[in-house]
Amino acid sequence: MLQLLQQELTLTNFALFFAWGVLMLLIILGFVTYAIYFERKVIGWMQFRIGPNRTGPFGLLQSVADVTKLLIKEDTIPKKADRDLFILAPAITFIPSFAVIAAIPFTKTIMASDLNVGILYYVALSGISTIGIVLGGWASNNKYALLGGMRSAAQMISYEIPLVISVVGVIMTTGSMNLRLIVEGQQGGFWHWNFLPQIIGFVVFVIAAVSELNRTPFDLPEAESELVAGYHVEYSGFRFAFFMLAEYVYVFAIASLTTVLFLGGWHAPFTFLDFIPGIIWFLIKFCFIVFFLFWIRATLPRVRVDQLMSIGWKVLLPLALVNVLITAVCTTIFMK
């Protein structure tokens, strides 16, 4: 794929790019379908419940049935809603979540694009989803939906700042925002992975990423007991499915980005295991992070909104800045 990127754009190359995009979309849709299933099974196992077990063998078709039900449900639009924005909001939320994956390198050769500003590309596009959520809440002409949209905007903007600053240390040590080069700088065993020298940035990144995903314990925009399901309360059918799809696609993207930035990407933890294909190591780390997100949802209670904002501004932001300062000092010392 990387060799294709370096060639002149022809009709054949365009067809290959299109096929690559369709393949990635199918892979991600498959991931979303069964991530929902395994999340329910994992949480059920942790909380001494059974989870899905009726639809299909071992309940494997439960998520397929749920998605089918959503797609065939009646599509309702409130009479006094802003119809155009109401229809547009789910698309604005979903499209950036899929587009950010173009910058993720899964191996040396399996990647959609080799961007020199891959991190900047990810941050810039992921921020657009906030606009879709706010639009969905505002266009619904519903006070509960508007409150949910405003909460989500405040949360995502607040946590995006420490999220970005936590990555600055990795950029400083690597000297590049190219995600492929960041992974190549971590070869040689797990002691070369960025999560060790950047442990403060790694912790800040993980906490801020969970909040960016609007997942427990930071799922305030979807606090059913307080806001009647939040910003998407007026959505039904496939438009509601788009919001949920965007959330799980971002789970895919954040798990991939964490693997690339801090866990060595496709590199093996020990050099004597280099004979195992890199994509296998990437998938193992990726699945561990996804499992960790499920684990958090099963065990931690939802925080209050004032606690949410205090953690972001009073704890994570100062820690991220301290990490940048420590990295700058250490980089200067070792360069001398």
Side-chain angles (χ1 to χ4, degrees):
M1 189 64 191
L2 186 57
Q3 294 176 350
L4 179 62
L5 292 170
Q6 298 169 348
Q7 298 175 6
E8 183 181 354
L9 183 61
T10 62
L11 185 60
T12 303
N13 288 345
F14 177 79
L16 291 174
F17 275 123
F18 182 79
W20 172 259
V22 171
L23 176 63
M24 282 303 303
L25 180 61
L26 293 176
I27 291 173
I28 290 170
L29 290 176
F31 164 80
V32 170
T33 301
Y34 284 98
I36 296 171
Y37 167 79
F38 282 109
E39 180 172 20
R40 295 170 69 179
K41 293 295 283 187
V42 167
I43 293 176
W45 168 65
M46 289 184 173
Q47 298 177 347
F48 298 100
R49 295 184 288 105
I50 297 174
N53 68 336
R54 296 300 180 92
T55 310
F58 307 105
L60 286 171
L61 296 180
Q62 182 63 57
S63 294
V64 177
D66 292 340
V67 171
T68 303
K69 179 187 72 173
L70 277 176
L71 294 179
I72 63 177
K73 284 184 71 174
E74 180 183 3
D75 176 34
T76 60
I77 300 177
K79 184 177 180 180
K80 295 185 178 181
D82 188 319
R83 184 180 181 86
D84 293 337
L85 293 180
F86 187 88
I87 293 172
L88 190 61
I92 293 177
T93 304
F94 167 72
I95 291 173
S97 71
F98 179 66
V100 296
I101 296 169
I104 302 293
F106 302 100
T107 67
K108 286 183 179 180
T109 55
I110 303 178
M111 65 183 77
S113 59
D114 187 26
L115 296 175
N116 289 329
V117 288
I119 294 178
L120 190 61
Y121 171 85
Y122 183 98
V123 172
L125 279 186
S126 62
I128 297 176
S129 292
T130 307
I131 300 174
I133 289 174
V134 174
L135 278 180
W138 183 82
S140 298
N141 195 27
N142 179 301
K143 292 180 180 179
Y144 291 109
L146 179 60
L147 281 173
M150 295 304 293
R151 264 191 182 183
S152 181
Q155 175 178 334
M156 296 177 76
I157 292 172
S158 297
Y159 278 81
E160 192 168 341
I161 296 171
L163 180 77
V164 174
I165 297 177
S166 67
V167 180
V168 172
V170 174
I171 298 172
M172 292 170 67
T173 54
T174 308
S176 174
M177 287 194 289
N178 186 306
L179 293 174
R180 177 180 58 83
L181 295 180
I182 289 174
V183 176
E184 290 180 353
Q186 300 178 71
Q187 60 185 345
F190 75 91
W191 52 90
H192 290 108
W193 295 357
N194 287 329
F195 84 94
L196 288 173
Q198 290 291 315
I199 186 64
I200 298 176
F202 177 64
V203 172
V204 172
F205 181 89
V206 170
I207 297 174
V210 173
S211 181
E212 279 281 288
L213 293 172
N214 290 335
R215 291 180 61 86
T216 308
F218 304 116
D219 58 338
L220 270 298
E222 302 170 8
E224 295 91 345
S225 60
E226 303 170 24
L227 294 174
V228 198
Y231 60 88
H232 48 56
V233 65
E234 295 289 359
Y235 282 88
S236 64
F238 73 96
R239 300 191 201 283
F240 173 82
F242 262 87
F243 282 119
M244 292 297 98
L245 179 61
E247 178 180 324
Y248 279 91
V249 174
Y250 271 125
V251 169
F252 182 97
I254 281 290
S256 300
L257 188 64
T258 308
T259 301
V260 167
L261 291 177
F262 295 99
L263 300 181
W266 57 82
H267 294 305
F270 301 100
T271 53
F272 66 85
L273 295 175
D274 285 341
F275 66 92
I276 299 177
I279 188 64
I280 301 298
W281 288 117
F282 188 98
L283 289 175
I284 291 173
K285 300 169 189 176
F286 171 87
C287 290
F288 172 78
I289 296 166
V290 173
F291 172 79
F292 176 73
L293 293 174
F294 296 165
W295 187 3
I296 290 176
R297 182 171 183 179
T299 54
L300 295 181
R302 179 182 297 131
V303 300
R304 297 196 315 262
V305 64
D306 61 313
Q307 295 172 332
L308 173 80
M309 302 307 288
S310 295
I311 292 171
W313 291 105
K314 297 180 180 180
V315 179
L316 296 187
L317 182 58
L319 281 177
L321 293 172
V322 167
N323 180 64
V324 172
L325 178 61
I326 294 173
T327 304
V329 171
C330 292
T331 304
T332 303
I333 293 173
F334 285 114
M335 285 181 64
K336 291 182 179 179

